[in-house]
Amino acid sequence: MSRVPAVMPSTRRSSAPASDSIKVLFVTEDLGGGTGAHLVKMLGRWDSALVRAELLCFGRRYNVPLPEYPVEFVPAGGLLHHFPLAQLRALWRVRRAVRRFVPDVVHTYFFWPVVYGRILKRLGAIEHLVENREDLGFSWGRAEYRLLRATRHVPDRVVCVADAVRRVVEEREGLSPERALTIRNGVETVAPGGSAAGVRQELGFGSEELIVGMVSNLNRRIKGVEYFIEAAPAIREQVPSARFLILGGGRYREEFERLAEDRGVSAWMRFAGHQQEISRYYDAMDISVLTSLSEGLSITLLESLGHGLPVVATDVGGNREVVVDGVTGFLVPPKDVPSFVERVVRLLRDRELRRAMGRAGRERCVADFDIGRVGARYQDLYRSLLDPPANPRGMAGRAAASA
């Protein structure tokens, strides 16, 4: 490949486009996980006449729905797969995409795309840079935070999906409050599809049995799936009709299956893997649970509330910003198996409580976490950068308050 020359300032837009449309280049490492799925669903709600978007993804192409906007996948492998050649190659690809598309805003997700964006903005190739923070930075170490702190003045805005995430970003990255803002994640809220009976039959569960379900990434220890499995015997001892469902794929699945067998609950627990039509499985659940040790703003919790399910979740990260304890579900300390068991058993034994919490959760989800409203807030953010208000600090505060 021939080397792409540097983008000269004359090729960039210095103000809002003549039409109402905004050109946004998204750079990410994943379109297959929760973050990628959220981005894709958000783009699906956008009017292409108002926003022209393209996506550059440094990751494999999962079998997931993609937005109607152009998506370029950059596969890993070959001689350029290792540090620092892989990063130099990726930086070159971002630079090439910027030169070709000439975006008004570049929006980056995950660590290395964030670094590429900051480098290119410092070089003058990018005018407006927005970044996302999806979690509490549990996978980043001292080296990553040193680099982020040293370049903290480069991005125009850093969007945090929860106030809990924002507090961590401001503390660890040294980011000023003027640059950080909260825009919480959203989901599509749909009416139950009536597929519960079919799913239960597929799983081998009867209509009278009570399903406690968890949707989780089995590639990450931080999700704490083992605590759910450890709790299952005590739950079933108190509620013999309880059954357990774990949805999601990952390299630890076989290990968790062995743990379920060791704890004597494999006959009542199903590992259904990754499911594209996840709504069908939410419809079949009676309770949704989450035993994570760290979270940003859990898409799983939002989806559960949207399906009218009461939830029992660990009180970590942004979970408290989703679950109203005692109203839409229960919050318990992380790793506290007895407290988790007590709350799950209480819900399993009280059908009316499950229904009341489910209704309250759905109402909250529709009012506060609609994916269409979330997408509109991102568009407002882009417009504010192209036509900045007189008081940037006030803009950030208003965006956070409306999230």
Side-chain angles (χ1 to χ4, degrees):
M1 296 182 181
S2 60
R3 183 176 179 182
V4 176
V7 178
M8 301 302 294
S10 60
T11 68
R12 296 185 285 113
R13 300 190 181 203
S14 58
S15 61
S19 67
D20 289 335
S21 66
I22 302 171
K23 296 175 68 176
V24 184
L25 174 65
F26 292 93
V27 185
T28 182
E29 290 181 349
D30 186 11
L31 285 178
T35 296
H38 184 270
L39 174 58
V40 169
K41 289 180 179 178
M42 182 175 70
L43 292 179
R45 292 288 196 95
W46 284 2
D47 185 344
S48 58
L50 299 179
V51 180
R52 295 174 57 193
E54 290 195 10
L55 293 87
L56 182 62
C57 180
F58 294 97
R60 64 189 181 92
R61 180 169 184 164
Y62 294 86
N63 184 25
V64 297
L66 296 177
E68 295 182 0
Y69 299 97
V71 182
E72 179 184 359
F73 287 89
V74 181
L79 296 176
L80 301 180
H81 183 53
H82 302 287
F83 179 86
L85 295 180
Q87 284 69 33
L88 291 173
R89 172 176 174 259
L91 177 63
W92 177 80
R93 295 297 289 264
V94 178
R95 189 181 194 182
R96 186 179 72 169
V98 168
R99 180 175 176 82
R100 173 184 51 77
F101 186 50
V102 194
D104 299 300
V105 178
V106 173
H107 193 150
T108 58
Y109 291 75
F110 302 105
F111 179 75
W112 281 113
V114 163
V115 173
Y116 306 146
R118 293 189 180 191
I119 291 173
L120 292 177
K121 191 167 190 293
R122 287 292 297 268
L123 291 175
I126 292 173
E127 184 165 5
H128 299 297
L129 179 63
V130 174
E131 303 170 359
N132 256 61
R133 297 293 185 274
E134 302 290 322
D135 54 44
L136 300 183
F138 63 88
S139 62
W140 295 351
R142 292 182 179 178
E144 286 85 353
Y145 277 112
R146 279 198 296 268
L147 180 56
L148 292 173
R149 290 182 71 90
T151 58
R152 63 186 181 274
H153 301 300
V154 176
D156 295 283
R157 296 290 185 272
V158 175
V159 177
C160 305
V161 298
D163 288 336
V165 174
R166 182 176 178 176
R167 288 191 291 270
V168 169
V169 167
E170 291 179 359
E171 177 184 351
R172 296 184 187 175
E173 300 182 30
L175 202 71
S176 65
E178 291 83 0
R179 294 178 190 269
L181 71 156
T182 300
I183 302 179
R184 297 186 178 90
N185 289 332
V187 292
E188 295 176 331
T189 52
V190 296
S195 57
V199 172
R200 284 171 174 265
Q201 186 175 12
E202 293 173 16
L203 297 171
F205 294 154
S207 59
E208 299 302 316
E209 293 170 331
L210 299 171
I211 299 180
V212 183
M214 171 185 285
V215 179
S216 184
N217 185 341
L218 303 189
N219 280 314
R220 293 185 174 181
R221 291 283 192 185
I222 203 74
K223 294 300 182 180
V225 177
E226 62 269 30
Y227 296 101
F228 177 37
I229 300 173
E230 293 286 355
I235 293 172
R236 190 176 179 279
E237 181 179 353
Q238 299 179 63
V239 184
S241 61
R243 300 295 183 266
F244 310 97
L245 173 63
I246 296 178
L247 291 154
R251 62 180 178 273
Y252 296 120
R253 173 174 172 171
E254 292 185 1
E255 178 182 329
F256 292 141
E257 289 176 334
R258 289 194 298 269
L259 179 61
E261 186 172 355
D262 291 342
R263 297 299 181 266
V265 293
S266 57
W268 301 281
M269 180 172 284
R270 300 289 183 269
F271 289 81
H274 174 76
Q275 296 293 332
Q276 193 62 52
E277 298 181 14
I278 193 68
S279 290
R280 300 175 61 243
Y281 293 84
Y282 282 119
D283 289 344
M285 295 179 193
D286 294 284
I287 301 171
S288 178
V289 299
L290 195 68
T291 50
S292 298
L293 307 182
S294 179
E295 283 288 346
L297 198 82
S298 169
I299 299 295
T300 293
L301 289 184
L302 294 179
E303 290 174 340
S304 300
L305 267 59
H307 282 81
L309 288 170
V311 300
V312 179
T314 44
D315 190 5
V316 295
N319 288 357
R320 181 169 288 273
E321 299 172 42
V322 176
V323 180
V324 181
D325 191 31
V327 177
T328 65
F330 293 116
L331 293 169
V332 299
K335 301 183 182 181
D336 189 342
V337 173
S339 293
F340 177 78
V341 170
E342 190 275 329
R343 299 300 193 280
V344 171
V345 168
R346 180 178 172 186
L347 279 169
L348 290 176
R349 286 176 169 173
D350 193 334
R351 183 179 182 180
E352 290 307 313
L353 180 61
R354 295 199 303 271
R355 288 181 172 179
M357 286 188 166
R359 285 193 299 268
R362 180 170 172 77
E363 290 172 1
R364 174 167 168 74
C365 189
V366 171
D368 297 336
F369 299 106
D370 176 74
I371 188 71
R373 294 194 185 106
V374 172
R377 290 169 188 155
Y378 277 95
Q379 292 184 40
D380 288 343
L381 169 60
Y382 303 147
R383 293 189 187 96
S384 74
L385 295 178
L386 299 178
D387 185 18
N391 184 0
R393 186 184 184 94
M395 186 283 297
R398 290 194 299 275
S402 67

